Amino acid sequence: MNLTLHVWRQAGPTAEGKLVKYEAHDVEPEMSFLEMLDVVNERLIESGDEPIVFDHDCREGICGACGVMINGVAHGPEIGTATCQLHMRSFRDGDVVYVEPWRSRGFPVVRDLMVDRSALDRIIASGGYVSVRTGGTPDGNDIPVPKVDADMSMDAAACIGCGACVAACPNGSASLFTAAKISHLGLLPQGQAERDGRALSMVARMDEEQFGHCTFFGECQEACPKEISIDTIVRMNRDFLRASLKRGSHAGDAGAD
Amino acid sequence: MELRSQVPEGPLEKKWDQHLFDMKLVNPANKRKYNVIVVGSGLAGASAAATMSELGYNVKCFCYQDSPRRAHSIAAQGGINAAKNYQNDGDSVYRLFYDTVKGGDFRSREANVYRLAQISVNIIDQCVAQGVPFAREYGGLLANRSFGGAQVSRTFYARGQTGQQLLLGAYQALEKEIAVGSVRMYPRTEMLDLVVVDGRARGIVVRDLRTGAISSHLADAVVLATGGYGNVFYLSTNARGCNTTAIWRAHKRGAAFANPCFTQIHPTCIPVSGDYQSKLTLMSESLRNDGRVWVPRKAGDNRPPNQIPKEDRDYYLERKYPSFGNLSPRDISSRAAKQVCDEGRGVGPGGRGVYLDFHDAIQRLGEDKIRERYGNLFEMYERITDENPYKVPMRIYPASHYTMGGLWVDYNLMSTIPGCFVLGEANYSDHGANRLGASALMQGLADGYFVIPSTISNYLASNKLDAVTDDADAVRSTVQDVEERTRRLLSINGTRTPASLHRELGHIMWEYCGMGRTAEGLQTALTLIPKLREEFWQNLRVPGSGEQLNQTLEHAGRLADFLELGELMCVDALHREESCGGHFREEYQTPDGEALRNDDDFAYVAAWEYVGENVPPVLHKEPLTFESVQLSQRSYK
């Protein structure tokens, strides 16, 4: 089949970008969306043009590197699917497809479809861990975890950090990403010691990184390739509120934690 | 070049403990005076960087991805082995050690493997404490499953995403250290050369992938944890960016490359569907716990699988290897799949596939149970193939997955360049000629959390290192080499894209240095690869400049190194006139088609020294002596 693409091209972080039209010929339904872009890029290189830049790596939906807006939808039309796992059988001959980078104040464009998501790393660095050093830990079976809790924790821990939740959110909020980590650790006995501080500092960091607030549109969970539920955001809000009350301070002081 | 294994004296079980006591320490106040570079942020790199930072060293960590969390360890699915014996099924440190040595077809170093088995139990404890959400039993304790090459259940897992969860544990530990400022992280930064000053590794030269800026970083020791070289086959289960550049550059600066021909072809991957294909996707070995592998008994039987009655099916693994059945090790299962396809009994387009059938397990356990165990893998399969594996058997075929070969290291994980340490898949040390399932995660974390933090201290405490600055001759000339090479790649201005040349290399490697190898085929490859390399340097096209983000340039640089490594792999495969593990020389097989080892002549590690362009590499041998394990023909019957 043949498709018409309109792809966002932007030479660098400060350059002006624009949509450029490309014809994608002989697209096979078994191709992934990125393989279709590979074919377009091969032709661009052969004709002496610079190929379209996009992030990608594992191409099996787990590393979280890839992700573009496809006709305005983060990761495209299939539910629970990262861009690399989206196959061209989801499209029809003659389709016109708009391909753009994640758009958010927290994710500046690096080049073309590639954005800077380092803010997500900084949110994790602000408290998304259990502070244990290597060595001296108790036997694995000394910390029993009810299966239901372990399963719920794993549901949240499945986040791949792709940033689709931010891109899909009308507020540009990173709440689903942050809440997934707070839920993953908060549901486990190992995460209890730092549960309050974690919620306060991660939420504060999210604000500092220019992400918007959550107003429960729910677009994030629709876009999430791992189908992480906004229940995690409820959990985050509860942890944040509880921690704030315990500290006898209001949320605005959280950054001082 | 001399290979000194540095294996401590004494009985096998006491070597590591004794060594820990004998090694020199750096006192806590002095540790902050030392700088250590870690290249790679996968399980080995992230765990090493975090742990060395906790100890007090100043650490710089580099990765080519935009975040350390994306290293390819993330894609490991099935699990991690540990000799906990939680199942009370007869497991022990010794059994894990024995299974691993045997699984590796007796081509690994006993002392390293024993240490790995010992440390395995600490890894689980560490990961649980970090909050890794391992699978649990209803009583709240840790669950296990079985993996290939073992008759006990010792594999810990987090659904089909164990690598992801272990990596996130290590990544979070790393971020914790980044937050306190004792690790400085350099994402989107690729190592392009190793700086060697007075015979010691003292730094690296990198390219900032965003700006194209080339710069040097200096340190007291360099740790390479940059993964394997499976992408030499172009199509593999590796991430697209996985490459050999860091270890190949180190090799060209003096690090011996060990057993490059020991590559693992994983039996259960989704078959190739077309020429545009950019990678192959693994279906976890854990599926073989419940899936049964079969092909039609007769060649040319084109009936749909559910219309082929039991008596017309050949469950060939169960037939040939009744003791281990569908859980036979990877090398054996892959070869068996190739064999039945070569006989014309393969299924699916092109006849390169076998069935992995869950029908019996679904009958026995119900669809819900199977969904709970493998749900995400089944979804992934359906997304790629558009077939529902709950209803139709999966179609699978072997694909390049892991490389047992890598830079030669001693017991301290140091290469033949003093101060250059190599961890995880990038070294050759623990898996011999074949790696067992769920052992890569174990090795990466053992090396990073528990081995390197001690052995690097010993190195730093035992050697007086002079200060080195950026204007030292060795540093400047290495930077110039990288700049010159980058210019050269950009100036060819031919007609071929890196991808088209890489695909061609992949075809050569898969055809002649893949699952079955012959002297004749390897000779052919050894004439084709240099020709292709010449084509590369004369007809490559890389648009754009070096002073910008340029993904074509990145690919071209990595391919240039694969084009050299591929040749060394064939040289190594040709010289090893025996079959062992993943290295199957068709001339050397038993009457029933199994690998025929030659312990008299080849019980050694082949460590190749680079001595110059267009000069044959020099072979050094580290003899393998087995004190604890009896050498025998591997049998899984």
Side-chain angles (χ1 to χ4, degrees):
Chain A
M1 57 187 169
N2 298 314
L3 302 177
T4 303
L5 306 180
H6 295 271
V7 182
W8 185 259
R9 302 301 305 260
Q10 181 174 338
T14 53
E16 208 169 303
K18 62 170 193 279
L19 286 165
V20 178
K21 188 171 158 188
Y22 299 99
E23 299 297 334
H25 297 295
D26 307 324
V27 175
E28 314 249 353
E30 290 81 24
M31 284 180 178
S32 72
F33 194 83
L34 298 185
E35 285 169 344
M36 183 272 295
L37 287 180
D38 288 342
V39 173
V40 171
N41 272 346
E42 283 287 283
R43 289 183 194 146
L44 285 174
I45 299 172
E46 278 160 6
S47 61
D49 291 327
E50 292 192 38
I52 302 157
V53 171
F54 58 91
D55 258 321
H56 64 98
D57 207 16
C58 78
R59 298 209 175 189
E60 51 187 273
I62 193 73
C63 77
C66 71
V68 291
M69 299 301 275
I70 299 168
N71 288 336
V73 180
H75 288 308
E78 295 292 321
I79 295 290
T81 304
T83 305
C84 62
Q85 295 282 282
L86 173 66
H87 284 73
M88 297 312 291
R89 67 178 78 93
S90 302
F91 297 85
R92 271 164 226 249
D93 187 37
D95 274 359
V96 177
V97 183
Y98 284 79
V99 190
E100 295 171 87
W102 291 161
R103 303 240 186 238
S104 160
R105 197 157 36 162
F107 291 161
V109 170
V110 176
R111 196 170 178 193
D112 296 345
L113 304 175
M114 180 187 277
V115 298
D116 179 351
R117 288 168 291 193
S118 55
L120 300 184
D121 290 323
R122 292 190 290 273
I123 291 174
I124 298 297
S126 71
Y129 43 77
V130 177
S131 298
V132 291
R133 296 166 57 88
T134 302
T137 49
D139 184 87
N141 265 348
D142 285 349
I143 311 171
V145 181
K147 187 173 184 308
V148 182
D149 293 350
D151 285 346
M152 280 200 295
S153 172
M154 181 62 212
D155 288 342
C159 169
I160 58 173
C162 63
C165 48
V166 177
C169 177
N171 303 338
S173 172
S175 284
L176 192 67
F177 170 82
T178 309
K181 190 48 63 189
I182 287 174
S183 300
H184 157 210
L185 298 173
L187 279 158
L188 296 173
Q190 301 92 306
Q192 298 311 308
E194 295 166 291
R195 187 168 163 186
D196 292 347
R198 181 181 306 120
L200 293 173
S201 53
M202 289 181 76
V203 169
R205 187 76 219 183
M206 182 169 68
D207 289 346
E208 284 163 35
E209 295 288 350
Q210 308 279 302
F211 293 110
H213 286 269
C214 173
T215 49
F216 281 99
F217 279 100
E219 293 287 342
C220 53
Q221 70 175 4
E222 294 301 310
C224 177
K226 295 295 148 186
E227 299 180 80
I228 291 169
S229 158
I230 51 172
D231 291 357
T232 57
I233 301 182
V234 177
R235 215 171 270 286
M236 171 175 78
N237 289 348
R238 195 182 57 191
D239 277 9
F240 180 79
L241 188 63
R242 193 180 63 170
S244 304
L245 293 172
K246 267 206 223 166
R247 300 267 163 121
S249 64
H250 61 82
D253 292 340
D257 181 62
Chain B
M1 180 181 286
E2 209 183 328
L3 303 175
R4 265 174 274 169
S5 71
Q6 308 285 2
V7 172
E9 296 297 318
L12 190 61
E13 314 78 60
K14 301 233 168 79
K15 282 181 196 289
W16 178 235
D17 288 343
Q18 186 61 42
H19 194 53
L20 280 173
F21 180 74
D22 291 340
M23 282 189 290
K24 288 189 183 160
L25 303 173
V26 178
N27 92 50
N30 283 343
K31 284 200 181 92
R32 74 179 79 97
K33 295 179 190 157
Y34 287 106
N35 299 306
V36 179
I37 282 172
V38 178
V39 188
S41 65
L43 287 178
S47 60
T51 305
M52 289 191 289
S53 165
E54 287 166 6
L55 288 171
Y57 295 113
N58 296 310
V59 179
K60 284 182 177 180
C61 183
F62 297 79
C63 70
Y64 73 76
Q65 298 89 347
D66 71 321
S67 163
R69 67 179 289 152
R70 306 203 201 284
H72 194 55
S73 305
I74 200 120
Q77 297 169 353
I80 176 165
N81 287 332
K84 284 285 199 184
N85 194 27
Y86 283 161
Q87 302 303 320
N88 192 31
D89 56 0
D91 201 9
S92 63
V93 166
Y94 192 86
R95 187 178 293 281
L96 174 55
F97 154 73
Y98 178 80
D99 285 349
T100 308
V101 171
K102 177 187 169 193
D105 218 353
F106 307 95
R107 289 292 174 263
S108 47
R109 199 189 278 146
E110 260 190 350
N112 285 55
V113 179
Y114 194 86
R115 173 176 66 189
L116 177 66
Q118 278 178 302
I119 289 173
S120 69
V121 297
N122 304 108
I123 297 172
I124 300 304
D125 301 342
Q126 183 64 33
C127 296
V128 168
Q130 288 172 343
V132 169
F134 281 119
R136 299 274 168 172
E137 305 286 359
Y138 280 102
L141 302 185
L142 291 155
N144 289 117
R145 62 183 166 205
S146 305
F147 250 70
Q151 288 174 313
V152 294
S153 276
R154 61 159 78 100
T155 304
F156 295 78
Y157 63 100
R159 293 192 191 149
Q161 291 132 278
T162 317
Q164 179 198 28
Q165 294 309 314
L166 296 177
L167 181 61
L168 292 180
Y171 156 76
Q172 287 164 201
L174 178 64
E175 289 294 339
K176 161 175 75 71
E177 297 302 302
I178 292 171
V180 297
S182 70
V183 175
R184 183 130 185 242
M185 188 69 218
Y186 295 82
R188 289 204 205 275
T189 308
E190 181 162 30
M191 169 180 164
L192 293 179
D193 216 333
L194 182 74
V195 175
V196 180
V197 181
D198 298 331
R200 292 179 187 280
R202 296 304 301 271
I204 59 175
V205 175
V206 300
R207 182 168 180 272
D208 181 330
L209 300 181
R210 282 160 301 193
T211 63
I214 290 166
S215 62
S216 56
H217 292 263
L218 303 177
D220 298 296
V222 175
V223 177
L224 304 181
T226 52
Y229 49 89
N231 272 346
V232 71
F233 292 99
Y234 186 66
L235 287 182
S236 82
T237 64
N238 288 5
R240 291 277 285 177
C242 292
N243 66 82
T244 188
T245 291
I247 58 172
W248 190 253
R249 301 274 118 207
H251 172 59
K252 293 182 84 167
R253 296 277 172 199
F257 206 116
N259 299 336
C261 80
F262 287 172
T263 54
Q264 177 164 79
I265 311 295
H266 195 294
T268 51
C269 302
I270 300 176
V272 176
S273 64
D275 287 339
Y276 52 80
Q277 189 124 4
S278 61
K279 81 153 281 157
L280 295 171
T281 302
L282 178 75
M283 286 284 105
S284 169
E285 179 166 310
S286 60
L287 292 168
R288 291 196 275 145
N289 271 291
D290 288 306
R292 298 180 69 194
V293 178
W294 65 276
V295 289
R297 199 170 282 284
K298 288 198 208 81
D301 186 342
N302 291 329
R303 288 176 285 178
N306 55 7
Q307 287 173 25
I308 300 180
K310 279 255 154 83
E311 60 272 19
D312 289 345
R313 299 176 178 188
D314 180 11
Y315 293 89
Y316 58 89
L317 285 176
E318 297 171 27
R319 173 173 58 79
K320 291 169 79 170
Y321 310 103
S323 306
F324 284 71
N326 294 297
L327 283 175
S328 294
R330 292 177 176 175
D331 52 341
I332 288 176
S333 307
S334 290
R335 260 198 309 279
K338 179 177 187 285
Q339 226 164 42
V340 295
C341 293
D342 288 348
E343 289 163 15
R345 298 196 284 146
V347 298
R352 300 319 281 183
V354 300
Y355 290 125
L356 179 62
D357 196 343
F358 292 87
H359 180 262
D360 294 350
I362 290 171
Q363 293 269 299
R364 193 174 71 245
L365 303 163
E367 200 172 305
D368 286 348
K369 192 78 194 166
I370 295 298
R371 181 167 286 115
E372 186 190 317
R373 285 186 188 165
Y374 313 111
N376 65 320
L377 298 170
F378 276 46
E379 277 169 35
M380 198 197 290
Y381 181 85
E382 185 166 0
R383 215 168 279 141
I384 294 171
T385 61
D386 207 22
E387 286 177 359
N388 177 355
Y390 294 101
K391 306 276 176 245
V392 196
M394 286 184 178
R395 279 178 300 108
I396 53 163
Y397 196 66
S400 157
H401 178 58
Y402 185 88
T403 52
M404 284 73 70
L407 293 185
W408 184 91
V409 287
D410 65 13
Y411 189 72
N412 296 317
L413 303 182
M414 191 163 82
S415 69
T416 52
I417 304 174
C420 176
F421 294 81
V422 192
L423 317 186
E425 191 178 350
N427 75 27
Y428 89 100
S429 78
D430 295 349
H431 305 296
N434 173 57
R435 179 175 67 74
L436 291 183
S439 288
L441 305 184
M442 172 171 71
Q443 188 216 338
L445 291 181
D447 288 359
Y449 282 134
F450 296 107
V451 180
I452 189 72
S454 298
T455 59
I456 209 163
S457 296
N458 183 49
Y459 172 78
L460 295 170
S462 312
N463 292 284
K464 168 117 184 47
L465 300 168
D466 297 327
V468 178
T469 55
D470 280 323
D471 55 7
D473 287 348
V475 183
R476 289 212 325 237
S477 74
T478 311
V479 171
Q480 279 163 10
D481 287 350
V482 171
E483 287 169 347
E484 172 53 30
R485 190 179 153 83
T486 307
R487 259 196 302 276
R488 212 177 137 203
L489 288 167
L490 285 159
S491 64
I492 303 166
N493 205 18
T495 60
R496 300 276 307 264
T497 66
S500 82
L501 292 157
H502 197 166
R503 223 174 271 129
E504 201 173 324
L505 174 67
H507 280 304
I508 297 173
M509 296 306 294
W510 184 249
E511 188 62 30
Y512 301 111
C513 199
M515 273 188 286
R517 301 155 178 189
T518 62
E520 196 193 347
L522 291 163
Q523 300 279 15
T524 308
L526 286 171
T527 59
L528 292 174
I529 296 169
K531 270 189 213 148
L532 185 62
R533 200 161 54 223
E534 206 178 303
E535 165 83 357
F536 173 92
W537 286 109
Q538 289 184 352
N539 204 12
L540 175 73
R541 170 174 288 186
V542 179
S545 81
E547 289 80 43
Q548 58 170 175
L549 195 143
N550 189 335
Q551 291 177 314
T552 321
L553 175 64
E554 293 164 28
H555 189 179
R558 294 165 190 167
L559 176 57
D561 293 328
F562 279 131
L563 282 163
E564 295 179 11
L565 167 73
E567 187 172 1
L568 185 66
M569 287 168 67
C570 294
V571 168
D572 186 44
L574 184 62
H575 114 281
R576 191 169 278 278
E577 294 175 334
E578 64 163 351
S579 293
C580 57
H583 170 64
F584 192 73
R585 280 285 297 271
E586 289 174 11
E587 305 95 319
Y588 308 100
Q589 50 182 305
T590 61
D592 50 354
E594 302 296 335
L596 185 62
R597 257 186 8 245
N598 176 351
D599 293 329
D600 291 339
D601 300 323
F602 291 98
Y604 60 77
V605 177
W608 298 91
E609 180 184 4
Y610 179 83
V611 283
E613 214 165 314
N614 300 319
V615 183
V618 175
L619 174 64
H620 301 269
K621 298 175 184 177
E622 181 199 339
L624 291 168
T625 47
F626 294 88
E627 292 166 18
S628 185
V629 170
Q630 191 109 41
L631 285 169
S632 59
Q633 200 208 323
R634 263 165 98 211
S635 171
Y636 293 94
K637 292 190 173 171

